[in-house]
Structures are given as C-alpha cells and as structure tokens.
Amino acid sequence: MDLVSRLPQALAAPSPPIPRLDRMAYGGDYNPEQWPEKVWHEDVALMRAAGVNLVSVGIFAWALLEPAEGRYEFGWLDRVLDLLHENGVSIDLATPTAAPPAWFSRRHPESRIVTRDGVVLGGGARQSFCPSSPAYAEAAARITEQLARRYAGHPGLVMWHSHNEYGGANGLCYCAVSGEAFRGWLRDRYGDLAALNEAWGTTFWGQRYGDWGEIEPPVAAPTAVNPAQQLDYLRFTSDAHLANFRRERDILHRWSPGVPVTTNFQIANCKTIDYFKWGAEVDVVSNDHYIQPERPDNHIELAMCADLTRGVASGTPWLLMEHSTSAVNWKPRNLAKRPGEMRRNSLSHVARGSDAVLFFQWRASRFGAEKFHSAMLPQGGTDTRVWREVVELGADLGRLDELRGTRVAADVAVLWDWESWWALELDWRPSVDLSYLDRVEAYYERLWRDNLTVDFVHPTGALDGYPLVVAPSLYLTTPATAARLRAYVAGGGTLVVSYFSGIVDETDTVHPGAYPGALRDLLGLTVEEFLPLPAGGVVHLSDGAVADVWTEDLALAGATAELTYVDGPAAGRPAVTRHTLGTGTAWYVSTRVDPAGVLRRAYTDAGVTPPDGVPDGVELIRRVGEAASYVVAINHSSADAVVRASGVELLTGAACPESVVVPAGAVRVLRTL
Ligand code: GAL
C-alpha cells in the first residue's frame, strides 16, 4: 500500500479556519449553575490542567436567567464568563431556549406539545414547547436579545450556541397551533388548493379539500393517512424548527457580527430534521454523537455519522459538539467505554473533519435525570481512569493542532436524503422490513471495511470527480435528480443503486410507467413486480450469496444480468444487473444482500482500488492541507498493527521512515512525507 500516491491530485481549496477558534477546540458543556460558586474556581483550575479551551455555557439556564417573565438575573453568568475568560477558556455561549421556564408553560398552555394521538405533554423535562408556538417564538427572541445585548462584546465569547438539538425531544407536534401554521406553510408551497389537491392526490379515498381550514395535521386516524400529507408535515416541521433557529441567529448576528452561530445537530439520529437544508444556515456545522454501546461495530456507525456531518458541512471543518467520555444514561444498558475507547472515538471524529473534541459534559451532575451520565470530571473526581484519559486526550489534541482546517480526502460518494428516508418509511410500503438506514449502513460498512473514505452528498449536490457513486435507498427520486444521475453515468461515472429506488417523486406519487420510473432508462431495466420475502425468508444468488427481505421480478431493457436468483419467488430471473450508458456504468441490486460482491465489481468499472495491506480492524483516513497531508490510523483490533506509510508521527514525535506501528486499540497520526 502506498498511501501517499493515493492522495487525490487536487482537493478543493483548503477551508478558511473556523472564525475565532485558534486551537483545536477541547472541552464540553459546562453547567456551573448546578454547583456552588466555590466549585467554579476548582472547575477552571482543572480545565486548565486538562487543556480545556472551549466550553458551552448556559444551555439550560433560561429559568435562572429570567426567573419571572421580564425579570433578568445575569450576575451569576457575568461572573462565570469572566472567570472562564481570565483562565483562558473560550466561551461558546448558548441561548437557553431549549428549556422554557415553568412560568412560560403555565402562562401559555397552548404552547405544550400534543402527540399524534392527542396527548398533551407536560413539563418537568426540557423542550416542552411546540415548535410553531408564536408565544414561544416571542419569549425565545426576548431572552436571546437580552443575552446578545449583554454579552456580544464579552472578550471570551468566540461562538454562539443557539438552542440545543432542535427537534430532539419535541420533533413533531400536532396541536391546533401547529395545524394553523401548517396551513400557512402549505399556502406558501402550493399557492392554491387545486395545486395541493393535485399534489396530495386527494381524489383517492375522497379526501378533496374545498377550504384551507379543512386541512389538519396528519393526526392519528382510523387508517393510513395520506402519505403526501405526512411527507409535507415532516418538511413543515423541519422548517418550523429552522425558523426558530433563524430568528435567534439573526438576532445574534445583529448584535455581534463576525461571531459564528452554530447549533448542535444529531446527524443520522434525528429523523425529523433535514440537516442538508440546515447546513447552509449555520455559520459552523456542529454535531452531537453518541455511540451505540451494544453494537460491536459502533465505530463504523460513528465514522458514518462523522462523514455525514462533513457532507452537511459541504466538506468544510465542523465541530464535534458533544460525545461522551464513557457511558451515557439513556440507553437500556449503558455500557461504559473501556480504556482507550474515548480517545479512539474522539480522534475518529477529528480524522473525519472535526476541528473540535467536546463532550457532554464537563462535571458530572449530582442530581437530575442525567446523574449517571459520564463526564470529563466524573463523580469520583480526578483520581479516576476517565479523568486521567481526559487529561491525556487534551495533551494529544495540542499535538494535532496543525490538522485544523485541512480537508478529508474521500474516494467515493454516497447519496443521502432525509426526504427519501421519510418517504420510504411511511406506512403501507410493500414490506415493513424496508429500512433506509439498513441499506445506507450496509453499503457504508462495506466501503469502510475496504478502507475507502466516503463523502455523503445530497442528491442535488455535485458528483463530478467521484469515480463511484452509491445510491443505497433513493425511493424518492425527483426527475431532476434522475437527470443528474444519468448525466453522471453518461459522462463516465459508475453508479450503484439499491432496490426500491427511483419509485416516487417529491409528492410520493409513482413515476409514470413501470418501476423504477425515474431510473428505468439509466438502469436499463424495469421492475415488473416487487417480490418481498416473508419474515425470515432467504434466497440464494448465482454466486452463492444469501439474500433476504426483498426480491424483484426484473425485465432487462439494455442491462445485463450479472447475478441471478437461484431460488425464491424470482428464481431464474436477474438479481444484480449492469448497464453501460455513454462512457459509464449503472449497477442495480434488486435484493438485500451483502454489497461486497457488487461493490467489488463496481470498483473495477470505476477504477477504484481499495488500498491493500491494511491490517484488519485498522481504519485509515487522510486529511490534506496546503502545507502537509496527514494519515490517521486507528487500530480497533486487539493486536498491534503495522501500517506502511512514512512521515512524522505527531502523538509520539517519532520519525517513521517506512512504517508506523499502531498498538492495539491505539491511534497514530502521521504527517506524511
Ligand atoms: C444530548 C443533549 C445533552 C445531554 C446529552 C446526554 O443529546 O444535547 O444535553 O442530554 O444528550 O447524552
């Protein structure tokens, strides 16, 4: 393997650094309001000891900052911010709008969330507000304005942290206020009722609307609710949260031009927010990621989320705003991270484009719902494994500062679309076993195991320069996307499409003619019938592979059958096909099978060569800057590994003329020669 020669000739220009961040950021959420003031002094001393240089403050402090409507108490926050600044810790100051105070909910009962089944949700938690509530909008704008006015000029302020995880706990609300807002959103989208009736196909089941006031949110109904209505409700909801973000962002920009505004996303874990749409709205993309502790391959899911975050950030550096030093407290079984795991997790995010390693939270809470959640400073204080690893990681990040602003070099593009995810998983699909994440993760995992780095791209994003594009689940494919994919292939690209793609347009209407209407010509075939399998059913393909969940009856119209079904409802028919179009190739996989086989063939068409000689369980990622390039090697296995690459290892300072040893469970970062 020759890593250096695999570097792409020309990557996009290096990114401008994240404004006001002059170091690889290290720190986390800081909730000093949970502690007596004397503890704050210990906090900042320990932050210095650990190399902490950025903390997010005030995220849930609305009730303390505005204890009664219009009465503000900023004294304690003044003291906290001054103390942090005096100690060299920069401030990511939060607007506290994710936790409206009890007085607000009491005064505005109409702002409470109503579930699809009509249950009104109570307080005593957080995010207890309807995203479309005008009363909430007004109150949130007021506290944001107060904070912005008071702290815009604070010398320690480097970033604004708007809200916390928009849509996290209050993703969807079905109250009367939401209904009114939905109707307004629909008027903007469709202009007149005739267009809405057409788009929603309301002649079906006699749903035709004669007056805007007749339209409701898709609340629980006697049977399946109109899918186009449900899809629009998801779009509307993502936009309602976005409107809340924009309102705060604009206030913050007005008071402190040049100070970036971010908000922490939950990429791949929050289905209700269309983050590709949000990526362009924030000044810096931030993400929260928590590993799935019971999944043995959770480091692959982490890598996928990190790559997706970079995709949402259009390839520019982003911030890992939250992850955990060890266990979380909200899983059924909260497995602790084992020694070295936190460092591997953290540096995996850095390898994939993060210029920060931040945690929830600085000091473990003694009370409240999250007291069993790990923190940088555990309940046991500094004489603990976690604290020692936190201090070591802080020192490591200091050694990796030169990676900031460099770009991740990717080999392959994978398409990701929240709208397609939403639409695919509405009710009454041909099989309940269809899952968006299932296919994306399957293709991603194979690419990861082949040591190919993925850029996630929205279907409207640029595909030029990628030799291989994978569309794992593109159920919703607009005619424009279909045309772009066709142009990509005709121009020499290699495309791999998985089953149940290209079926409907943006209104969940089946494209005219045989399936898959949007991609028929490109793939050179039609799907005469979907042939989903019964629970537990399997079929065999002509290369011996075993598949399950889904098969199709394909009729070829230009494509060739590369693999056929040996048994099952489509026995003897094509299973995996290849179609040459222009100077490119389009592959189609009509069943749920391990993508290893088809990807291997597609690599050949695309001229993609997975690096050989990479030891099993070792992950290699490249970051490329103007002055230097870097290889991050992460050893997830329990055996030491040797990676052939030359350069200077930044964590140990060792010169590596030919290769670097990556001890079991360790990470090495090479500035390559
Ligand atoms: C995040 C949230 C934090 C904290 C954390 C615990 O989703 O933003 O406030 O609750 O989870 O893992």
Side-chain angles (χ1 to χ4, degrees), residues 29 59-60 126 164-165 264 266 288 290 322-324 328-330 360 370 373:
D29 286 13
I59 297 179
F60 298 108
R126 60 178 170 182
N164 191 70
E165 295 183 341
N264 44 345
Q266 294 175 282
D288 297 349
Y290 291 92
E322 288 181 26
H323 71 149
S324 66
V328 298
N329 65 300
W330 39 267
F360 177 83
E370 297 186 317
H373 196 291

XYZ file of all heavy atoms in Angstrom, residues 29 59-60 126 164-165 264 266 288 290 322-324 328-330 360 370 373, ligand 1:
188
model
N -19.918 20.841 27.413
C -20.999 21.598 28.043
C -20.604 21.861 29.490
O -20.179 20.943 30.201
C -22.300 20.775 28.058
C -22.958 20.691 26.689
O -22.293 21.048 25.691
O -24.121 20.260 26.619
N -26.760 26.459 28.514
C -27.676 25.811 27.563
C -29.076 25.645 28.154
O -30.072 25.821 27.463
C -27.099 24.459 27.091
C -25.783 24.683 26.347
C -28.090 23.732 26.189
C -25.096 23.427 25.856
N -29.140 25.299 29.442
C -30.469 25.065 30.039
C -30.764 26.066 31.159
O -31.418 25.735 32.137
C -30.560 23.618 30.529
C -30.407 22.630 29.402
C -29.264 21.867 29.270
C -31.398 22.518 28.437
C -29.113 20.986 28.195
C -31.252 21.643 27.359
C -30.105 20.874 27.244
N -37.536 18.928 29.437
C -36.999 20.023 28.628
C -37.645 19.928 27.243
O -38.306 18.954 26.938
C -35.471 19.955 28.527
C -34.951 18.679 27.894
C -33.423 18.690 27.769
N -32.929 17.370 27.384
C -31.660 17.060 27.229
N -30.731 17.969 27.439
N -31.295 15.851 26.879
N -30.524 23.918 21.755
C -29.848 22.634 21.919
C -30.636 21.566 21.188
O -31.799 21.317 21.501
C -29.751 22.251 23.404
C -28.832 21.071 23.620
O -27.622 21.189 23.464
N -29.398 19.917 23.957
N -30.008 20.979 20.189
C -30.614 19.866 19.451
C -32.066 20.160 19.057
O -33.006 19.537 19.551
C -30.523 18.573 20.264
C -29.090 18.130 20.461
C -28.951 16.812 21.211
O -29.906 16.406 21.892
O -27.879 16.192 21.127
N -26.205 22.554 17.739
C -25.734 21.163 17.687
C -26.757 20.245 17.027
O -27.877 20.111 17.474
C -25.351 20.655 19.087
C -26.347 21.035 20.176
O -27.192 21.902 19.992
N -26.248 20.372 21.300
N -27.960 16.410 15.427
C -27.924 14.997 15.831
C -27.985 14.168 14.555
O -28.935 13.421 14.318
C -29.129 14.646 16.686
C -29.197 15.326 18.033
C -30.512 14.983 18.707
O -31.554 15.543 18.387
N -30.486 14.050 19.640
N -23.619 16.337 17.589
C -23.534 15.522 18.800
C -23.569 14.071 18.358
O -24.439 13.691 17.557
C -24.737 15.778 19.713
C -24.801 17.219 20.207
O -23.814 17.957 20.019
O -25.838 17.591 20.791
N -23.367 10.042 19.894
C -23.234 9.063 20.982
C -23.187 7.680 20.368
O -24.057 7.328 19.565
C -24.407 9.218 21.964
C -24.285 10.529 22.709
C -24.893 11.689 22.247
C -23.468 10.620 23.827
C -24.717 12.909 22.900
C -23.285 11.828 24.487
C -23.913 12.966 24.016
O -23.722 14.168 24.654
N -20.742 17.413 21.057
C -20.953 16.554 22.227
C -20.630 15.118 21.868
O -20.976 14.657 20.771
C -22.429 16.543 22.650
C -22.965 17.776 23.294
C -24.444 17.579 23.676
O -24.876 16.437 23.895
O -25.153 18.589 23.725
N -19.979 14.431 22.754
C -19.997 12.978 22.808
C -19.722 12.623 24.250
O -19.803 13.492 25.122
C -19.071 12.326 21.777
C -17.597 12.444 22.013
N -16.702 11.474 21.603
C -16.843 13.397 22.599
C -15.479 11.844 21.934
N -15.538 12.996 22.525
N -19.454 11.374 24.562
C -19.344 11.017 25.981
C -17.956 10.474 26.281
O -17.327 9.835 25.431
C -20.399 9.986 26.360
O -20.144 8.772 25.699
N -23.369 6.616 28.553
C -24.495 7.549 28.647
C -25.462 6.970 29.683
O -25.165 5.963 30.341
C -25.177 7.765 27.270
C -24.207 8.383 26.301
C -25.765 6.473 26.716
N -26.603 7.595 29.867
C -27.535 7.124 30.893
C -28.911 6.815 30.331
O -29.817 6.479 31.076
C -27.703 8.193 31.973
C -28.365 9.424 31.384
O -27.848 10.036 30.465
N -29.537 9.763 31.883
N -29.048 6.943 28.999
C -30.401 6.877 28.434
C -30.605 5.699 27.493
O -31.586 5.633 26.768
C -30.737 8.192 27.729
C -29.600 8.794 26.957
C -28.706 9.718 27.419
C -29.201 8.511 25.611
N -27.780 10.031 26.440
C -28.063 9.308 25.322
C -29.695 7.664 24.625
C -27.412 9.266 24.084
C -29.046 7.635 23.396
C -27.921 8.425 23.140
N -20.473 16.116 26.320
C -21.473 16.346 27.341
C -21.008 15.509 28.519
O -20.976 14.291 28.402
C -22.881 15.925 26.937
C -23.815 16.130 28.097
C -24.358 17.361 28.354
C -24.086 15.090 28.978
C -25.158 17.563 29.471
C -24.880 15.296 30.092
C -25.413 16.524 30.337
N -29.726 13.176 34.503
C -28.512 12.691 33.833
C -27.359 12.428 34.801
O -26.192 12.467 34.411
C -28.118 13.688 32.743
C -29.209 13.776 31.685
C -28.850 14.636 30.486
O -28.288 15.727 30.700
O -29.139 14.225 29.355
N -24.795 9.838 33.830
C -24.092 10.047 32.550
C -22.633 10.366 32.852
O -22.334 11.121 33.770
C -24.743 11.217 31.818
C -24.411 11.317 30.365
N -23.157 11.651 29.907
C -25.177 11.116 29.268
C -23.176 11.669 28.578
N -24.389 11.347 28.171
C -27.575 15.253 24.241
C -28.036 16.568 24.833
C -27.321 16.881 26.148
C -27.341 15.663 27.029
C -26.736 14.502 26.300
C -26.655 13.244 27.116
O -28.430 14.764 23.266
O -27.789 17.618 23.943
O -27.945 17.970 26.761
O -28.656 15.369 27.386
O -27.513 14.212 25.165
O -26.122 12.180 26.382
